Amino acid sequence: MSRTTDRRWVVPERGNRLVMRFALWLARTVGRRRLEWLLWPVSLYFFVVNAAARRASRAYLQRALRGRYRTGAVLRHMHSFAQAVLDRMFFLQDSTHMPPVRVEGREQLLQTLAAGQGCLLLGAHIGSFEAFRALGRAHTIPLRMLMYRSNLGGATHVLEALDPAYAGLIIPIGEVDTMLRVAESLGKGEIVGILGDRTPDTGRCVPARMLGGDVSIPEGPFRLALATGAPLVLVSAIRAADGVYDIRFEKFDVPYPSSRQGRGAFVQMAVERYVGWMEALCLRHPFAWFNFYDYWKDAP
Amino acid sequence: MNTTRSTTSQTPFEHEVAERLVAALQLEVTAEEIAPEAPLFGEGLGLDSIDALEIALLVGRDYGVTLRSDAPDNQQIFSSLRALCQYIQAHRAAG
């Protein structure tokens, strides 16, 4: 286990308020489906100006697509991200304009919640976590998001303006009592969502192998599960070819250790299970991976 | 409380709490090595927010003192071993 100082993603999100406000106005006026043609020029623009994202995308796609990698794949990857950002605006806005969703494994989540210990819902920057949040709102499932908030830029502030309750549901990472808040929330039977594939610079990480390379995975979600005793459930929401979001809940089937001595081994096993889950998603949905920075540590 | 005590040596109660912390958090230091006024989080011992939760659980279980996220003085309570111990002693159930 090591402590990393990885500042690469702790930078303000790209996209300024003015552009986002314009996009928002356009989205509301023109409508979601009629706006989609715009995504290609937008993706092309980012493809041209953002060399770092382009490099990161290529490095990732060469792993995920293997022999099937072609030059155009990077542009398609960026288009897929632009589509997710657009859909995110509608997920946050209101249910009448939301993209449609299909849900698989709902009983898994409901069973887990019935135990009364709340639930740690573990996702990744793959597909759209917003799709699940919107579903939660529609069904009044109490959901809070554990987020590293201080680095979020203008884009997120505008998105938050769409859903005034959004900010109140976020538990910001980085305060001494952050996890006390999480434990209290779980104690009330609420769901706490975590995207476990990135860490702020103070986070402790465990090395793992993913898509044939070395990655560094935060151990926080798994230590948190042990500290609170709350069950973990995996969630992904991926946009299918027909424009429907497939939301899938999956049991996290690594048993919690009975003693403190078993904790280290549990965290290692849990990280491997989590990485295996991410890897399978990447292979099935290669363009849904939204970490546009050099995620692999052994990159040339 | 003995006010002439050196700021670097632990009171008996601080030592007791330090031993419990080392065991519960599986720290790689001994109880004696925790300087009572050194920061517990970030620089000092390098604990994080999940450790803070573990400490809160321990303090609740062993001393009957509840630490809550909405308490305004959490920064102060978790600032050092000494601050934590003073808080426990001020709030633990009588007897």
Side-chain angles (χ1 to χ4, degrees):
Chain A
M1 287 175 220
S2 65
R3 277 161 202 249
T4 58
T5 303
D6 189 345
R7 296 207 63 85
R8 284 170 302 179
W9 67 270
V10 191
V11 291
E13 281 181 0
R14 198 168 264 269
N16 62 52
R17 280 166 189 252
L18 208 63
V19 171
M20 285 304 292
R21 277 188 197 284
F22 176 68
L24 206 58
W25 170 81
L26 213 59
R28 277 180 167 155
T29 319
V30 182
R32 186 169 59 86
R33 300 306 297 235
R34 297 218 313 256
L35 206 62
E36 286 181 359
W37 65 269
L38 255 179
L39 294 176
W40 282 110
V42 167
S43 321
L44 190 63
Y45 170 76
F46 281 104
F47 177 84
V48 170
V49 301
N50 196 335
R54 208 166 58 224
R55 271 195 304 276
S57 167
R58 187 175 57 231
Y60 157 75
L61 288 170
Q62 282 169 343
R63 292 179 187 278
L65 295 172
R66 306 204 171 133
R68 292 177 293 127
Y69 174 81
R70 301 287 179 273
T71 317
V74 171
L75 184 59
R76 186 174 163 198
H77 192 194
M78 290 186 172
H79 179 270
S80 161
F81 180 62
Q83 176 81 62
V85 173
L86 177 69
D87 287 344
R88 188 182 176 205
M89 292 198 282
F90 287 95
F91 275 125
L92 285 171
Q93 208 166 18
D94 59 62
S95 49
T96 50
H97 293 93
M98 254 172 53
V101 297
R102 273 185 296 254
V103 186
E104 193 187 329
R106 190 197 299 265
E107 60 286 349
Q108 191 62 252
L109 180 70
L110 295 177
Q111 262 176 31
T112 305
L113 284 174
Q117 283 188 292
C119 168
L120 288 167
L121 197 61
L122 185 58
H125 289 83
I126 302 176
S128 170
F129 204 89
E130 238 62 62
F132 170 72
R133 286 190 59 254
L135 180 78
R137 205 174 38 196
H139 294 263
T140 63
I141 302 173
L143 169 72
R144 294 185 180 278
M145 280 299 294
L146 189 56
M147 277 176 67
Y148 196 67
R149 205 166 178 288
S150 54
N151 64 299
L152 298 179
T156 296
H157 292 298
V158 175
L159 287 171
E160 280 180 4
L162 284 174
D163 183 359
Y166 186 93
L169 295 175
I170 293 176
I171 301 177
I173 297 177
E175 308 291 326
V176 150
D177 50 11
T178 295
M179 298 307 167
L180 275 174
R181 291 182 64 184
V182 171
E184 286 162 11
S185 201
L186 292 168
K188 285 186 274 186
E190 296 179 349
I191 304 173
V192 177
I194 310 175
L195 299 178
D197 53 337
R198 298 183 190 171
T199 175
D201 54 352
T202 50
R204 294 180 215 170
C205 287
V206 178
R209 296 285 290 175
M210 178 175 164
L211 295 173
D214 294 328
V215 293
S216 188
I217 302 296
E219 56 176 38
F222 309 107
R223 286 175 55 220
L224 184 58
L226 291 179
T228 59
L232 283 160
V233 170
L234 294 164
V235 66
S236 60
I238 311 265
R239 191 180 197 274
D242 58 1
V244 179
Y245 275 82
D246 279 313
I247 301 178
R248 190 181 146 88
F249 299 105
E250 221 176 298
K251 194 176 151 83
F252 192 82
D253 47 11
V254 181
Y256 293 5
S258 51
S259 72
R260 282 194 180 272
Q261 283 66 40
R263 289 184 162 206
F266 167 80
V267 168
Q268 188 62 47
M269 265 194 303
V271 162
E272 279 163 26
R273 168 77 176 92
Y274 177 63
V275 168
W277 173 80
M278 285 203 290
E279 194 171 58
L281 280 175
C282 288
L283 291 172
R284 274 185 70 185
H285 312 280
F287 298 102
W289 171 260
F290 296 144
N291 285 311
F292 287 93
Y293 64 95
D294 46 343
Y295 198 78
W296 278 264
K297 310 295 167 191
D298 55 355
Chain B
M1 189 165 287
N2 186 351
T3 50
T4 58
R5 183 182 289 274
S6 153
T7 55
T8 54
S9 67
Q10 297 170 349
T11 65
F13 183 64
E14 283 165 359
H15 185 70
E16 176 192 314
V17 173
E19 283 193 319
R20 289 176 194 246
L21 292 187
V22 168
L25 304 178
Q26 297 179 297
L27 300 179
E28 283 158 9
V29 297
T30 63
E32 290 75 20
E33 286 171 325
I34 301 179
E37 294 191 341
L40 292 171
F41 295 87
E43 291 307 300
L45 265 186
L47 302 187
D48 63 16
S49 179
I50 301 175
D51 295 314
L53 171 60
E54 298 268 18
I55 293 174
L57 294 172
L58 179 152
V59 167
R61 193 181 57 231
D62 294 359
Y63 300 104
V65 176
T66 309
L67 296 171
R68 292 195 52 85
S69 69
D70 50 11
D73 42 2
N74 276 338
Q75 287 291 343
Q76 163 64 18
I77 296 166
F78 286 107
S79 64
S80 67
L81 176 63
R82 181 150 294 164
L84 179 69
C85 290
Q86 282 169 356
Y87 186 85
I88 297 171
Q89 287 183 310
H91 291 81
R92 69 192 295 188

